[in-house]
């Protein structure tokens, strides 16, 4: 049974340096299968494939590193 969800967020992670600041936290977070930031998109879309982590938990991780994040509706 596949219960994976994908969350999309608008962020201000606009370069590799920004991404590297959140990378270890997202890599080690419980319940994330895969994540990626599209820095070519004007909204700097963070896509997270969830294996149990919640949208709020992802946003807390990114905000704790000083970046802006909000769900993409």
């Amino acid at each position: 049974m596949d219960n994976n969800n994908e969350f999309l967020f608008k962020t201000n992670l606009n370069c590799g340096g920004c991404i590297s600041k959140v990378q270890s936290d997202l890599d080690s977070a419980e319940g994330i299968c895969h994540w990626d930031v599209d820095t070519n998109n004007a909204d700097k879309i963070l896509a997270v494939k969830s294996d149990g982590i919640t949208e709020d938990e992802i946003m807390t991780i990114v905000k704790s590193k000083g970046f802006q994040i909000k769900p993409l509706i």
Side-chain angles (χ1 to χ4, degrees):
M1 186 162 84
D2 186 16
N3 63 349
N4 293 353
N5 295 319
E6 185 169 38
F7 298 117
L8 297 175
F9 302 94
K10 179 177 178 177
T11 74
N12 63 344
L13 296 165
N14 57 15
C15 67
C18 298
I19 293 167
S20 69
K21 290 178 182 166
V22 298
Q23 181 169 0
S24 65
D25 294 76
L26 290 174
D27 285 348
S28 63
E30 189 75 29
I32 292 181
C33 300
H34 177 78
W35 65 273
D36 186 63
V37 179
D38 182 359
T39 55
N40 295 320
N41 186 299
D43 288 336
K44 312 303 178 198
I45 305 299
L46 167 64
V48 178
K49 288 190 177 155
S50 168
D51 187 22
I53 197 166
T54 67
E55 199 173 56
D56 285 342
E57 288 170 325
I58 297 164
M59 293 188 348
T60 298
I61 291 169
V62 175
K63 286 177 182 173
S64 76
K65 295 297 178 178
F67 295 101
Q68 298 170 5
I69 182 170
K70 62 183 180 182
L72 199 65
I73 307 298

